[in-house]
Structure formats: structure tokens, C-alpha cells
């Protein structure tokens, strides 16, 4: 049971963490990326559709990423070059995504409802020999799909990009004080546009991680995960490890809600609130603690 | 001077966005002439569509005002959707339970209860912010998500009308419904309430000491503290006001159109209200045209998908293309090939 | 024909946003290895000219020749590749980054994997900091530095980028006496190393002391260039403003009244709520008295003022105004009790730059009968008040609806002062009231302070500028490490040296030069 709980935690966390890593980059550049939800959705559709029709998971994921990055590039262009309000552009992205996915689904697959691709390649669970059978630890460490494992690698890579490379360094400087960055010759535009593209990249994987394992696409299947990712970004305070922690909390709370669903007869609708309430409680807890440590 | 220039620029930008919307239709429709006509003229073509369009703008005016009020005090209320939904539940519940009351009394109580409920919910985020510096943007968002589920639970369970065959509350006494205008369209007297509220808040914002406090706090919190403006109170108050307007936006459709509360009846009023506020640049009066514009695009999309070969998805895509560009300040100078100077230092 | 390292000729610049002609026909010629002063009133165009040289503003016409060659500088990167470095009037540093990160930002060294070599950068910077005499630990967070230290970081940054021409835009206006002395040492040393320095200042004594040559700008035009040695302060000041402005030390009045303001054993912690920064301060100010507080920045002045004005919590002790204990009062209640406050940061704290003059003028009294009734602001009354103040305090503005952020520094300060004095305070707290102001505005501020003192009000003046303290104060208190260590009567024979001694904590000589080793003790990664 504990094993199940831990396993569900990680599985629930993965898509959110991918998207949150994307949101982290735009956040570091000083912008709130409302469009994560839409990017995930577009990728969830396009990756699954491609994978099902080509039989290649890799190709599916790549197409998912590209489509999400395309949306990100549009967001970047409209908000940076045309100076539109980034919040409205994000809402437009989400609206566009919800329209285009249903449009494509009905034109390409003939239905606006649930799409299930029986023949789509399996995003198989990787069993780690040796560990697999250890109780609890086996559940915790083994039996995930590749995107679940890769996300931890991605956290490390993001950490390196953000704190060790000139790009991350410049991006952080832009987010903290763009005037200071301009005065040493850093292009705010390039940094921010880059952060949109990276955002699209990771949100794209997040979308694929949503649809590929279940071989299913439904309109609006992201169901607020882009927003939760945004919450994880802000709670993570500019650090990928912080974002990981926040995503784990959310994953655990979702797993808890699943557990209650299986073991109690509280209404499932009410149990759906658990992840949000837990996240809120933890956020308040941290704020109170921080405030106590350095009051005013 | 500056303001007028800004307005002209906004108008041109919206114009360009609409033109690009037309191009999108040309690309997607096999009968573009009819589609364009339905999309842009459709909402005005008869009193039914026209009335529905105005009706759709009512909650948007109120959520738009709610968002602009909070934003102008630099309080980022992203929980409008939940505040609206919860406010509507409370108001509808009371309206249903008060069936023996005189209509006027029931309506007034129901409206005030909704506003109060929304205000309290948003006020919690404001209070958390003032007390412990909990980011109000996230707290309001999380509370909002929670509330949407909680309200759905009530509509499906304890407060469900078993005869409805869907997740909806029982009907309230039909006397409580706001008078209809332009029947058979959805338009109702709530539009006057919305406009009156907007004008009232415009005066609050422009002329009252409370409005002054909110604007000054929104622009520079340090200066407000220094001047002795009670910043924490101002933040809590502006969140409360914003939430009560959201609550009001929530109940108005139930009193005006449905006579009960139906799950998911809000088609993103909260989110769209934020967009409305941003298009209106947080100006209370400009919220009215911005909400109308929004409702126009919404109805245009609906009419076009009813009366032409444009499907609802395509309508949504066209709508999104317009949103992308609707706040694009740079569009005017971009089109005029006059690139603006670089970032000012 | 002189050999110049840099010539800027016939520079014109109009800011398109507000149609202000900032420069017309401005000319500047620099000789290598010299300190060249650039002076002029607020708004004369000094900063604009420098921003053009540094590539962050575009000129409308004119030419720039560097070492005899025409150059086009259109961004900061080109400027520092050409060996031009600038220390801005408002520092361009990132508080959350450490010194090494700030200095290397934009030109960081990478290893073969494309990673930034922070270690190597830190070592280079500590070496450079020893060599140049700008003693800094590269691992300190910039947000924790004093203003003087931040300035050193800025100078070090120009050196790290290989600057040959270094622009210092009003470097001294925010420094204390000691820090200015140190800055001058740095400048002399840089000059000896062959660097060319542009030095901007409103304080002509400084200009006289440190510069070799001088250029005077007036309304965007160069009206004079010549050797400093062959001019005198009166002449320069006449060239700048068209009249001769001088200051005389205020006469102490003996019509002092009762104690208006007193503090009793006050303890205050720092902003992070960790250590005590004010450690048991007591003081009294009488009616009709100006008390100056002298001290090196960071010795508890900020915390003391914030506690007095109700912006931070008092840990222990009490504050009395007019015999009332106001320790538990909110900022508004303190203001109601007769306190006014001119803050150090007039742009971000003392005003709301995005609000118009009217909105700024009423921020402390919008709820009072003067300008509002039953919660509604009376437009006529507030307009009258604003018009009156604009006239009374001679605020130069194109209109009442102008955003305060668009006014010049001197006029922003007039807005602040007019608001603070119009509430007829019993006690005025004035922090660095003349920072960055030109002589004329400075004179204005001094006259105002003198006027209200003569009306029997009390003034608590906090300033890092000892001349200012000595001009104005009846009494001078010295703060050191959170305590008042000395109380001087401002006699004519009191010297800066004497005060400085206490400011440094009773040590007459500077501490012996400590061995220079700035290597990071702990790694940051
Ligand atoms: N970014 C800007 N946009 C519009 N006008 C500006 C801008 N910067 C400066 N100005 C205007 O240009 C003129 C010259 O300003 P500048 O900052 O160069 O003066 P300064 O000599 O440096 O004054 P100070 O001594 O106050 O620093 C002023 O009238 C000022 O208001
Ligand atoms: Mg200047």
C-alpha cells in the first residue's frame, strides 16, 4: 500500500514537473507563462497521433515537442515583438490549443470525443531487475515509463543550465533586473524568447507524458495541470530542485486523494480538492515560517 | 492627451486583430462570404442574437471590473472563477430556500449573499497576503480550484434537483427572476445592475479616498507605507471588493437566465474577466466596451457555427487569433514599419 | 592641435517621448590620463551625454572620435569593447548576485564544456581588486553592501572589462565624507595608471580638488572648457547657473523652546530581524532646533529613522512627540501627531513617479477635511492646494497632470518637501535632503529648513554630507555602531576632523592596511 502510494505520487508528478520545468525558464526571465496548459494539450494530441500513425514513440514525442515549441514561439513573438500583454497571449494560447486539438481530432480521426489508439506503440514500464521485487523500494524506483525517469535527469540538466551556463546566468539577470542586464550588453529579447522556446520544449514533453502512457486523448485532458505547474514554479522559487519538491508535494497529494477514493466513501468530487488544499496548506506553512524568520 | 493617443492605438490594434480574424476565416471556410457575415454581423442580425450577446457580456463586465479593481491595487486575484462559482451557489441556495419571500427581498438578499460569499473567499487570500505575505496569486488560484469541485459536489449531491437529470440545483420561485428584455433572447435587467455597479465603482475609483488608496498602493507600495496609507487594509479590501463583484457576476446569470444553478454554466467568466480587464487597461469604464467586444466575439463564434460551415472549434481558433493580437501595442508601429526605439534605460 | 583620446562634437539629442531637447551642440574633449569634470545644473544634459558615449542612448546628430578615429557606439557592448566604462548615477547592479557574478555578467569565462568558470573569475577579480586598491571580497552578495562598496564594485567592473575611459556619474552624491576620500584616492590611482576619467558632480569644491580639466554644460550646450587650475569656483558656478550662489553657515538661534521630540533607550533590529542595529539610543530635540545626525552609512541610521517614523518595529524603548508616547502609533498617527519625513529615496519612497503632482501632494492628507469629505475627495480643494504648493515652492512643471517621475530631480524633491512642510509639522525628519541636487535646488532646501526652524519647529537632519550637517545644525550627534557616541554643540571651531574621529569609532588613524587577500573562503557552488 505504501508502495502503491509512492508509485502513484511519482506517476502523478511527472507531467506536472515537465511542464513546470518549462514554466521555470520563463519565470526566471521575469514572465508568467499562462500558456503551459495549451502547449501541453497540443503536444498531448500531436505526439499521440504521430506515434499511433508512425508506430514510433520517439517520432511522436519529437512532433509533440515541436508543436508545443511552435506555440511557444508564437507566444514569444506576439508578446515580445508585438508587445502584447503576456497574460492575454497565454489565455489566447490556451484557447487556440483547445480549438485546434478538437478541430484536428474531428478532421483527422472523425471524432470530437475520446480518442483511443489501440495500436499506438506502448510506452512500456521499465522494470529494474533486482530492485523490482524489493517491497516498497521496488514500487518507488521501478516500473515507470521512460518519461518518468528522464524527468529527474531533466531536473539536473535544468539546474546546470540555470546555474552554470551563460544562458542561465543571463536569463536570471534579466529576470532580476533587466536594466542592469541591458547596461552590460545583454539582450533582454533574446533571453526571453529563448526562455519561451525552452518552456515549449518541456511543456511538450509534459503533454506527451499525459497521453502516450494511456494511448488516449480527450479534449481538455490537461485539466488545469498547466496552472498547477505554474504554482509549482512559483513555490519552487527559481530553483529546479524547489520545483521538483513542489511537484512531489502535488503528486503525493494527488496520490493521497486516489488512496482515499479507494479506501473511503467520501465523494470523489470532494477528494479532488485534496491536492489543492494540501498545496495551499504547505504554501501557507512556508510563508508563516519565512515571516517568522525574517519579520519585516 | 496620452490617454487619447492610447485609445486610438487600442482601437487600431483591435481593428487589425479583427482583420486577421477575417483572414483566418477566409483560410478555413468554403463559403467565406457567408461565414464572415455570420461571424461579424450575425450577432446584430436579429434581436435574439443581439440580446444574447449583450446577456453574455453582463457577467464579463462584472468579472472584468472585479479583475481591474484588484489589479489596480496590485493584488493579483486569479481566483475569480471559484469566487464567482461559490458566490452563485450561496445566492442560488438562498433564493431557492426563500421561495415564500417577497420577490424584491429575495432578490436583494440573494445578490448580497453572493457578493458576500465571493468577497469573503477573496478576502481570505488578501488576508493571507497581508498577514504572512502568502502570494495572493497562487492562494486565490488554489482556493478557486478547490471551490469549483466543492460547488460541483453540492450540485451533484446535496443541492441537486433529482428531476433535472443533470447536475443542477432546484429551480427558484420564478417570481425571483429578473425581468426579461428583448424576449425571447436571454437578455435581462441584470445589464442595468452591471452598468450601475460599474459606474458606481468608477466613482469610487476616481473620486473616493478608498479609490485613491487603492490606486496609490497599486502603483507604489513603499510610498504608500511612507505616507501612512494603511496598505494591508487596502489590499484586503480590494481583494474583498474584487471577490464580491465576482460573486455578483456569478448570481446574475442564475437570476436572469436559468432560474437555478447548473454545473459548469460559467464558460470561463472568471478567466475571461481577467482578459477583459487587461484589454480595458484596468479602467473601470472601459471594462464595458471590452466586455462587449469579448461577448461579440463569443456570440460571433456561436452564430457562425450555427449559420455557416464554421464549426465551434474553428470559431474558437479564430477567436484566439484575435486575442493573441488584441493587446499587441507594438502592432500599430510594426505595421507602420516604424520600429520603436529600444528598451529605455 | 591637441591630441585627444576622445572627442564628442556637436552632439544633439531630443527625447522623443516628451520632446525635451536634452543636448544641443554639446562638445567634450578628453586628454588621456586626465580627470575631466563635467558640471551643470540638474537637467543640463550631463547624464544624457554620457549615455550617448556609452551607447545606451542614440544621438540625433553629432560625431564621436576615439583616438582620432570616427566611431559609432550603438550599444553598451560596443562601448566597453572600445574601452569605455560607465558607473551610473543609479547603480546597475543585481542585488541577489554576488560581486563576482555582477562584475562578470555578460563577459563570463567558459570552460570547454560551455560552463561558466566562477572559481577562475573569482580569483581574477580578487587579484584585480588587490592590484587596483579596491578591496572587495568577490563572494559577498551585492545586496549586503553599503552604497560606497557598491560603487567600488561598479568601478571594478569597468576595470575588469578593460576600460581606459571611465565615466563616473555623480559618484560622490551618495557617499559619506570618508568614502569620498577613499574614492578620490582610487581616482588618483587610476589616473596614475593612465586611465582617463570623466567626473560628474554638483559639488564644485570636489571638482576643484580632483579634476584637471572642466567642461560646463548649460541647457544642453557646452558653455566652457578649460583647465581647472585656471578657474575658480565662483566663475564656474556663474557659468552653470548664471548667478553666484554661496552658502553661509546658519547662525544658531538661542530662542530654543522646550523639548518637542525625544527618544528614550531605543532598540531596533535590522530588516531581517536578526541583530540589533540601534542599541539604546536616547536623544532630545527642542523647538526651533536643528539636530544633525552624522555617521558612516550603515551604523543604524536607517533602522533608527524607520523606527521613529513607524515603518519598523521598536524592540525596546520609547519615542515621544510633544510629550505623547507615540511608540505604538501607526505611521499615519505619527504624522497626525505632528511628524513629517523627507526620505532618502525621493523617487521610490518619497513619491509615486507614475502619479501626477496632485496625487503626490495629497498622499498624507487625502482623508482630512482639507481635501475630502465623507470619503470623497474634493477635486476643487485638492486642486487649489496643489496649485498653491506649486506656486509657493516654485515647482517647475508643465502642468498639474504631469507624472512626477517626469520631473527633474530637484523638482521631485520640491514636491516631497512641499507636501511634508504643508502639514505644518512640529518635527521634520530630513534624510539626505540634497542628494543629487544642484546648487540652486540645494540652496532652496536649506532656505526652507532655515525658515521652519525660525518658526520654532524642530528638525532632525540625517546626512552623510558633513558640510551639510555643519552648515545647518545647532547640535550634531554622532552615531556609531547603533549608539550615539558624541553630542557636539556646533561651534565655529568644530572641525570635520573632530567629528570624523567619532564617526570612525574614536580611532584617529585609519586601521592599518590589512593584507590583501580576497580569495573566497567558501565556495559558492
Ligand atoms: N529617458 C528620458 N526620457 C525623457 N527625457 C529625459 C530622459 N532622460 C533625461 N531626460 C530629460 O533630458 C534633460 C537632461 O537630462 P539629464 O539626465 O541628462 O540631466 P543631468 O545633467 O544628468 O541632470 P542631473 O544633474 O539631475 O543628473 C532633462 O530635462 C530630463 O528631464
Ligand atoms: Mg544626471
Amino acid at each position: 500500500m505504501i508502495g502503491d502510494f509512492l508509485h502513484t505520487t511519482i506517476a502523478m508528478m511527472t507531467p506536472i514537473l515537465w511542464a513546470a520545468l518549462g514554466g521555470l525558464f520563463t519565470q526566471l526571465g521575469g514572465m508568467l507563462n499562462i500558456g503551459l496548459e495549451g502547449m501541453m494539450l497540443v503536444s498531448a494530441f500531436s505526439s499521440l497521433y504521430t506515434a499511433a500513425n508512425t508506430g514510433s514513440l520517439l517520432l511522436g514525442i519529437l512532433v509533440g515537442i515541436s508543436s508545443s515549441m511552435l506555440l511557444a514561439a508564437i507566444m514569444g513573438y506576439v508578446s515580445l515583438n508585438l508587445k502584447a500583454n503576456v497574460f492575454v497571449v497565454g489565455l489566447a494560447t490556451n484557447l487556440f490549443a483547445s480549438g485546434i486539438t478538437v478541430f484536428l481530432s474531428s478532421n483527422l480521426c472523425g471524432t470530437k470525443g475520446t480518442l483511443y489508439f489501440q495500436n499506438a506503440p506502448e510506452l512500456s514500464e521499465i522494470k529494474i531487475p533486482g530492485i523490482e521485487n524489493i517491497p516498497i523500494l521496488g514500487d518507488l524506483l521501478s516500473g515507470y515509463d521512460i518519461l518518468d525517469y528522464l524527468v529527474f535527469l531533466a531536473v539536473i540538466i535544468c539546474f546546470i543550465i540555470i546555474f552554470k551556463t551563460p544562458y542561465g546566468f543571463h536569463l536570471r539577470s534579466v529576470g532580476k533586473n533587466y536594466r542592469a542586464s541591458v547596461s552590460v550588453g545583454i539582450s533582454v529579447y533574446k533571453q526571453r524568447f529563448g526562455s519561451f522556446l525552452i518552456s515549449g520544449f518541456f511543456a511538450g514533453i509534459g503533454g506527451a507524458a499525459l497521453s502516450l502512457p494511456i494511448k488516449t486523448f480527450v479534449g481538455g485532458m490537461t485539466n488545469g495541470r498547466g496552472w498547477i505547474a505554474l504554482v509549482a514554479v512559483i513555490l519552487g522559487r527559481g530553483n529546479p530542485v524547489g520545483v521538483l519538491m513542489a511537484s512531489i508535494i502535488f503528486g503525493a497529494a494527488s496520490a493521497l486523494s486516489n488512496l482515499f477514493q479507494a479506501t473511503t466513501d467520501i465523494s470523489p468530487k470532494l477528494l479532488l480538492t485534496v491536492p489543492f488544499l494540501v498545496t495551499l496548506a504547505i504554501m501557507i506553512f512556508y510563508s508563516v515560517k519565512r515571516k517568522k524568520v525574517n519579520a519585516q | 492627451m496620452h490617454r487619447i493617443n492610447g485609445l486610438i492605438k487600442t482601437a487600431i490594434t483591435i481593428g487589425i486583430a479583427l482583420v486577421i480574424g477575417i483572414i483566418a476565416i477566409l483560410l478555413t471556410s468554403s463559403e467565406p462570404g457567408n461565414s464572415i457575415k455570420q461571424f461579424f454581423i450575425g450577432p446584430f442580425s436579429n434581436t435574439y442574437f443581439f440580446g444574447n450577446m449583450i446577456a453574455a457580456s453582463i457577467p464579463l463586465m462584472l468579472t472584468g471590473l472585479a479583475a481591474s479593481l484588484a489589479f489596480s491595487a496590485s493584488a493579483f486575484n486569479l481566483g475569480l472563477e471559484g469566487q464567482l462559482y461559490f458566490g452563485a451557489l450561496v445566492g442560488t441556495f438562498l433564493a431557492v430556500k426563500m421561495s415564500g419571500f417577497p420577490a424584491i427581498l429575495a432578490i436583494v438578499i440573494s445578490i448580497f449573499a453572493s457578493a458576500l460569499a465571493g468577497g469573503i473567499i477573496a478576502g481570505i487570500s488578501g488576508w493571507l497576503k497581508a498577514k504572512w505575505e502568502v502570494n495572493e496569486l497562487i492562494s486565490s488560484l488554489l482556493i478557486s480550484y478547490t471551490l469549483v469541485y466543492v460547488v460541483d459536489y453540492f450540485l451533484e449531491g446535496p443541492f441537486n434537483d433529482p428531476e433535472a437529470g443533470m447536475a443542477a440545483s432546484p429551480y427558484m420561485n420564478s417570481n425571483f427572476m429578473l425581468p426579461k428584455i428583448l424576449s425571447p433572447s436571454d437578455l435581462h435587467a441584470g445589464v442595468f445592475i452591471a452598468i450601475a455597479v460599474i459606474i458606481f465603482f468608477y466613482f469610487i475609483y476616481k473620486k473616493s479616498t478608498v479609490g485613491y488608496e487603492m490606486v496609490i498602493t497599486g502603483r507604489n507600495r513603499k510610498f504608500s507605507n511612507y505616507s501612512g496609507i494603511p496598505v494591508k487594509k487596502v489590499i484586503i479590501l480590494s481583494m474583498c471588493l474584487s471577490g464580491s463583484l465576482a460573486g455578483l457576476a456569478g448570481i446574475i446569470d442564475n437570476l436572469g437566465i436559468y432560474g437555478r444553478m447548473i454545473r459548469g454554466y460559467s464558460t470561463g467568466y472568471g478567466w475571461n474577466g481577467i482578459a477583459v480587464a487587461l484589454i480595458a487597461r484596468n479602467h473601470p469604464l472601459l471594462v464595458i466596451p471590452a466586455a462587449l467586444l469579448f461577448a461579440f466575439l463569443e456570440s460571433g463564434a456561436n452564430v457562425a457555427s450555427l449559420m455557416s460551415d464554421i464549426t465551434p472549434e474553428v470559431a474558437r481558433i479564430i477567436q484566439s487569433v484575435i486575442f493573441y493580437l488584441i493587446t499587441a501595442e507594438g502592432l500599430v508601429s510594426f505595421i507602420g514599419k516604424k520600429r520603436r526605439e529600444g528598451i529605455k534605460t | 592641435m591637441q591630441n585627444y583620446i576622445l572627442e564628442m562634437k556637436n552632439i544633439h539629442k531630443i527625447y522623443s517621448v516628451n520632446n525635451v531637447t536634452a543636448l544641443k551642440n554639446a562638445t567634450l574633449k578628453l586628454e588621456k590620463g586626465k580627470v575631466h569634470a563635467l558640471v551643470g545644473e540638474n537637467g543640463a544634459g550631463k547624464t544624457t551625454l554620457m549615455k550617448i558615449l556609452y551607447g545606451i542612448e542614440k544621438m540625433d546628430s553629432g560625431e564621436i572620435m576615439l583616438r582620432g578615429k570616427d566611431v559609432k557606439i550603438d550599444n553598451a557592448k560596443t562601448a566597453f569593447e572600445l574601452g569605455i566604462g560607465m558607473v551610473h548615477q543609479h547603480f546597475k547592479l543585481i542585488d541577489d548576485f554576488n560581486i563576482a557574478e555582477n562584475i562578470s555578467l555578460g563577459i563570463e569565462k567558459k570552460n570547454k564544456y560551455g560552463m561558466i568558470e566562477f572559481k577562475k573569475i573569482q580569483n581574477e577579480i580578487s587579484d584585480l581588486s588587490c592590484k587596483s586598491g579596491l578591496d572587495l571580497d568577490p563572494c559577498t552578495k551585492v545586496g549586503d553592501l553599503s552604497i560606497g562598496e557598491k560603487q567600488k564594485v561598479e568601478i571594478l567592473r569597468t576595470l575588469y572589462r578593460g576600460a581606459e575611459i571611465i565615466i563616473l556619474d555623480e559618484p560622490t552624491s551618495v557617499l559619506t565624507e570618508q568614502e569620498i576620500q577613499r574614492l578620490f584616492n582610487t581616482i588618483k590611482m587610476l589616473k596614475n595608471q593612465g586611465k582617463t576619467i570623466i567626473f560628474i558632480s554638483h559639488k564644485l569644491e570636489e571638482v576643484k580638488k580632483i579634476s584637471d580639466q572642466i567642461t560646463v554644460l548649460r541647457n544642453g550646450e557646452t558653455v566652457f572648457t578649460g583647465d581647472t587650475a585656471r578657474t575658480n569656483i565662483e566663475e564656474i558656478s556663474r557659468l552653470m547657473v548664471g548667478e553666484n550662489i554661496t552658502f553661509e553657515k546658519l547662525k544658531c538661534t538661542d530662542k530654543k523652546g522646550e523639548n518637542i521630540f525625544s527618544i528614550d533607550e531605543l532598540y531596533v533590529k535590522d530588516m531581517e530581524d536578526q541583530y540589533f542595529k540601534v542599541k539604546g539610543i536616547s536623544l532630545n530635540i527642542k523647538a526651533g532646533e536643528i539636530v544633525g545626525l552624522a555617521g558612516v552609512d550603515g551604523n543604524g541610521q536607517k533602522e533608527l529613522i524607520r523606527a521613529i517614523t513607524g515603518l519598523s518595529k521598536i524592540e525596546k524603548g520609547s519615542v515621544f512627540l510633544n510629550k505623547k508616547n507615540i511608540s505604538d502609533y501607526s505611521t499615519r498617527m505619527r504624522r497626525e501627531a505632528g511628524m513629517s519625513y523627507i526620505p532618502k529615496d525621493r523617487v521610490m519612497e518619497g513619491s509615486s513617479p507614475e502619479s501626477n503632482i496632485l496625487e503626490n501632494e495629497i498622499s498624507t492628507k487625502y482623508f482630512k477635511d482639507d481635501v475630502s469629505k465623507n470619503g470623497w475627495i474634493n477635486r476643487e480643494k485638492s486642486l487649489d492646494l496643489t496649485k498653491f504648493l506649486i506656486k509657493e515652492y516654485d515647482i517647475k512643471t508643465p502642468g498639474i497632470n504631469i507624472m512626477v517621475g517626469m520631473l527633474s530631480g530637484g523638482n521631485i524633491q520640491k514636491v516631497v518637501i512641499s507636501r511634508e512642510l504643508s502639514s505644518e509639522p512640529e518635527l521634520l525628519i530630513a534624510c539626505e535632503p540634497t542628494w543629487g541636487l544642484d546648487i540652486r535646488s540645494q540652496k532652496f532646501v536649506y532656505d526652507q529648513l532655515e525658515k521652519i526652524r525660525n518658526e520654532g519647529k524642530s528638525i532632525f537632519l540625517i546626512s552623510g554630507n558633513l558640510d551639510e550637517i555643519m552648515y545647518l545644525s545647532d547640535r550634531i550627534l554622532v552615531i556609531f555602531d547603533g549608539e550615539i557616541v558624541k553630542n557636539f554643540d556646533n561651534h565655529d571651531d568644530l572641525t570635520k576632523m573632530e567629528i570624523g574621529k567619532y564617526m570612525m569609532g574614536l580611532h584617529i588613524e585609519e586601521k592599518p592596511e590589512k593584507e590583501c587577500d580576497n580569495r573566497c573562503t567558501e565556495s559558492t557552488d
Side-chain angles (χ1 to χ4, degrees), chain A residues 68-149:
Chain A
S68 164
M69 283 177 79
L70 184 66
L71 272 193
I74 295 174
M75 258 191 100
Y77 182 79
V78 178
S79 61
L80 299 173
N81 293 55
L82 300 183
K83 300 187 169 61
N85 181 298
V86 76
F87 198 101
V88 177
V89 172
L91 289 178
T93 303
N94 296 342
L95 189 67
F96 178 78
S98 74
I100 195 86
T101 47
V102 178
F103 174 80
L104 292 176
S105 145
S106 78
N107 278 13
L108 299 175
C109 316
T111 171
K112 295 182 184 180
T114 306
L115 281 178
Y116 177 65
F117 293 94
Q118 193 158 19
N119 307 328
E122 203 78 38
L123 191 62
S124 54
E125 293 175 354
I126 300 170
K127 304 252 197 273
I128 305 176
I131 297 181
E132 184 191 348
N133 296 322
I134 306 172
I136 300 183
L137 198 65
D139 286 316
L140 178 61
L141 297 179
S142 170
Y144 299 104
D145 64 50
I146 181 80
L147 293 179
D148 294 334
Y149 287 114

Side-chain angles (χ1 to χ4, degrees), chain C residues 154-168:
Chain C
E154 287 270 17
I155 297 176
L156 200 56
R157 167 150 81 181
T158 65
L159 295 178
Y160 187 73
R161 279 156 203 259
E164 287 300 318
I165 299 173
I166 300 172
I167 306 163
L168 301 173

Side-chain angles (χ1 to χ4, degrees), chain C residues 411-427:
Chain C
N411 282 302
I412 294 179
Q413 188 69 327
K414 282 182 179 178
V415 171
V416 175
I417 290 178
S418 63
R419 180 189 58 228
E420 294 306 309
L421 296 189
S422 64
S423 60
E424 311 210 329
E426 295 297 319
L427 169 73

Side-chain angles (χ1 to χ4, degrees), chain A residues 76 131 151 270 290:
Chain A
I131 297 181
V151 78
L270 288 183
R290 198 174 64 231

Side-chain angles (χ1 to χ4, degrees), chain C residues 15 17-18 20 22 41-48 57 89 170 202:
Chain C
Y15 280 108
V17 277
N18 51 4
V20 166
E41 278 189 289
N42 290 128
K46 306 179 293 291
T47 300
T48 305
E57 287 288 356
Q89 191 169 1
E170 292 194 33
H202 289 294

